[in-house]
Amino acid sequence: MSELVTGTVRVRVRYFAGAGAAAKVDEEHVDVAEGSLVSGVLEVVGAQRGPDLARVIAASSVLVDGVQDRERSHPVRDGLTIDVLPPFAGG
């Protein structure tokens, strides 16, 4: 019996404003399993980069290839870009 092997996909995650400060990078590439959702990618980067980033992600808006994903349920594919946009103040 052969084992089903799941491949990986590479996505780009960009951090803006306070998210970049919490992540300590402006962007990074992340490898995740095929079939992952945006929420899964964000869990991975939050776990890797620490609780400060995880808190910022929880309060942030997320864009997937420039389109808002409120539910963070978009399936990821190779080359996809996820933007993490924390709440902004000012005018």
Side-chain angles (χ1 to χ4, degrees):
M1 184 169 169
S2 64
E3 207 175 292
L4 179 63
V5 177
T6 302
T8 59
V9 295
R10 176 166 277 202
V11 299
R12 179 171 66 158
V13 182
R14 299 189 302 182
Y15 305 103
F16 292 86
K24 298 182 177 53
V25 295
D26 291 332
E27 73 175 60
E28 65 182 315
H29 288 89
V30 180
D31 295 322
V32 295
E34 278 185 82
S36 294
L37 302 178
V38 168
S39 60
V41 174
L42 296 175
E43 286 176 20
V44 167
V45 297
Q48 289 176 344
R49 297 218 167 256
D52 289 343
L53 179 59
R55 279 190 294 278
V56 171
I57 288 171
S60 295
S61 294
V62 175
L63 302 180
V64 177
D65 284 342
V67 178
Q68 189 169 23
D69 182 8
R70 291 179 197 265
E71 302 299 318
R72 302 174 182 200
S73 60
H74 193 282
V76 299
R77 60 171 166 65
D78 209 41
L80 184 102
T81 297
I82 299 170
D83 294 329
V84 179
L85 302 148
F88 294 94

